[in-house]
Amino acid sequence: MKQLPNKIDFLQMEEKWERLWEEHGTYRYDWGDEVRPRYSIDTPPPYPSGDFHMGNVLNWTYFDMRARYKRMRGFNVHFPQGWDCHGMPTEVAVEKNKKIRRSDVPPDVFRKMCEEWVEQYIAKMKTAVVRLGTSIDWSLEYRTMDPDYIRKVQLSFLILYGKGLIYKGEHPINYCPRCETAIADAEVERLRRTGKIYSLAFGVPGGELVIATTRPEYIPACVAIGVNPTDERHSHLIGKQATTPIFGRKIPIIAKDDVDTTFGTGAMMICTYGDKADVIDVARFKLPVVNLLDKRGRLNENAGKYAGMTIPEGRKAVVEDLRAAGLLREEKPLEQEVGTCWRCDTPIEVVNAKQWFMRTTAFSDQIIEQAKKITWYPDFMRYRLIDWTKSLDWDWVLSRQRVFATPVPAWYCKQCGEIHLAEPEELPVDTKVQQPRGKCAKCGSTEFTPDYDVMDTWFDSSLTCAIHAGWPDRPDWHKLFPASVHPSGQDIIRTWAYYLMVRHLALFGEPAYESVLINGMVLGGDGRAMHKRLGNFVASPEVFGKHGADAARQWAAAGGSTGTDIPFRWEDVEYGRRFMTKLWNACRFSAMRLEDHDPSQHAEPMLLDRWILSKLEKTVKASTDAMENCEWMNATEAARNFTWHVFCDDYLEAAKYRLYGEGEAKLAAQQTLRYTIRRMLQMLAPVTPHITEEIYSTMYATDPKDSIHLSKWPDYNAALVDEEAERAGDLITGIMGEVRKQKNKLGVPLNKPVKRLVIYADEKALADARLGDRDVKETLKVEEIAYESGSGEAEVEGHAGVSLTLTLLPPS
Ligand SMILES: [Zn+2]
Ligand SMILES: [Zn+2]
């Protein structure tokens, strides 16, 4: 057996393996393999922000542990990595860096600048993903900004349009006035804040009606007043008209049975649109729509003298004029929840606009059915998707008014206005710089204007399950579809898990994935979610550079149960590092003691051999069960506790005298060591892939390309479970521990001989203890052991009724 060096630089060793795995193609997916079952991981392509933070370390450790475990279970694992490149943050960064506005240069030039910008961030993140030791197959790498990826996204657009599931229509949408674009429901965050509520006087026949509102700037878009018909204060006004303050417009007063009579004065403004509830009322009462905002999110001509102002400016001006006119009756603070843009925290507006939509709400029942059917790790996370789906009442608005995104593959006929979609053969296409090949189907004209819209980036990233599998180019793409697992964060179930499911159901009539693996958030030292702007941020290069990837992975795997939020603790990483040193030293010692071992010889295992083999099998079972269910913490703790405490602290110490000895007893210890270490390393391999590979390749591999990660996961061997050996072995190792503790307490060196040890216990325990007579004597240098009933000076921890008394040799 080859020997492990005394000193090792863990960081260098880790980087060596990352290089060798890629050189050897250790993790390549085998497209031609018809024997092994397939396992496909729908790795979410991250947005390349340039940072690989501890939250990413947590995510990728989860994906990778699943991949490694399944590979060792004999699966042909498909583990790709993509980059979700499009999006506004890149546009903003490029504008800032180049000191231009995106409209200053032609769109294709601006797009090129964005692509170059993104590449540098991808390079940084890829370095970190590799450095974490993930078992990704890099031959499968892709970018959503690649022409080939855009082709597939546009093709899916054409197919959905052909099925009537994508349409262009005028509907209310969420709009961010700062980002100047439509946004989807999933991108709206709920923010609590203190706003203001204003009581305004509307004119009504015979007097005035005071109405409370948080949006006075919407008076010009107020299309009705709603009152509850059961409200005696106002019911006589139903059917009459009110006059809006300042603007003097006549609007109807209508009966609306869901008006909260306890809020404000019990009368409410219905505007187009103050919020989402107004949208429902406008449809229900067939009210007209007054658009109040222009494309830039400013008040338009319908706001009269306030036209051109931003919303906050308009509100301020309207309130001042109301006050001056004596129409503002009250103004007070109000705790409220507002919808804000996920990107910039600006309160969103609801506006009517012509946009592209996908008919998603039609699939809600199917999504809920699938959410119930598929496997979730952890199980309760399924309700996040079910509840979100139930809450949706609008279709998905797909179009965005940006540049760096997948173009909508459509033009409009200059003659008749008809929509003209690209043909599949024309894809990928950027309609802003390309003209279609064909003619208008309606009037035959060959002149077109482009559709300037681009698609929501979720429209790129919600197609990965099919694209990873090889759709639409590989005829056998169904072999990898649906994805075996979609890994996701609890905060993006409503986007990623939802959009994937709805998209694949709509395109193929099939669910996107068979299971979902959820990770929680990483919390900083202050207990809040780790975030750059909160100053509690730790970057992964700092952690890798200090303690290495295997230590960081142990923190991720064992930091908390799967799906829960996990605090980042340096102590956990340091513990991981100490564990590696312990493992390294134990294996180095074992390799030396195995140097003359002949594996073709067999010896009968002795008591402590049978004891550890039995414990090993139980650990294999616990670890396998936990790995199956993605319970990383339990799997990691089972393997680490066995390694550190059972193997290193107890077994190795007790077997040393035999390993330094001769004959059958030595051979029995050697064969136990060889067998145990191999299985122990295999159980640890998904958590700490580098160090286990280094040890395995030295002690076990026969070929340089041989890898522990391609070896077979240990099968639970029930024949080795031996309850009697465990009972006796636990007692004997317990006695050894107590003797060590006593020596420590007395300040006596551990290697100093003991003259006499008396063990007190009942008959049954004494019989067990006698089985370890030689082990205790040799291991702890005890000259004589007496077995008595009664009680001694020190209880043996964990073994009620067993105690002992030590007599040390007189000082020499
Ligand atoms: Zn915004
Ligand atoms: Zn036409």
Side-chain angles (χ1 to χ4, degrees), residues 111-177:
R111 192 186 156 85
K112 248 282 91 44
M113 291 176 179
C114 291
E115 287 174 3
E116 283 163 13
W117 185 262
V118 162
E119 280 301 341
Q120 53 172 346
Y121 284 150
I122 291 177
K124 276 191 191 169
M125 285 185 89
K126 183 174 174 179
T127 304
V129 175
V130 170
R131 188 59 193 86
L132 181 63
T134 49
S135 59
I136 284 163
D137 177 353
W138 289 103
S139 72
L140 305 171
E141 188 183 4
Y142 64 92
R143 288 151 172 71
T144 60
M145 65 183 180
D146 290 345
D148 193 54
Y149 196 95
I150 291 175
R151 169 178 67 93
K152 294 165 188 171
V153 174
Q154 289 182 326
L155 178 63
S156 79
F157 184 99
L158 300 184
I159 295 172
L160 291 174
Y161 186 87
K163 288 184 168 195
L165 295 173
I166 281 182
Y167 60 95
K168 185 144 197 186
E170 181 159 333
H171 287 271
I173 53 153
N174 303 303
Y175 185 84
C176 174

Side-chain angles (χ1 to χ4, degrees), residues 4 27 32 73 143 186 252 306 319 341 382 418 537 565 567 585 589 595 645 657 712 731 741 756 764 768:
L4 297 171
Y27 306 123
R73 289 299 298 240
R143 288 151 172 71
Y306 308 102
V319 168
C341 170
R382 72 178 75 241
E418 182 78 353
F537 182 84
D565 289 347
N585 290 337
F589 168 80
E595 200 163 14
H645 304 298
Y657 79 91
K712 198 171 161 294
L731 181 65
K741 211 156 88 187
R756 189 176 147 87
K764 195 160 177 281
D768 282 345

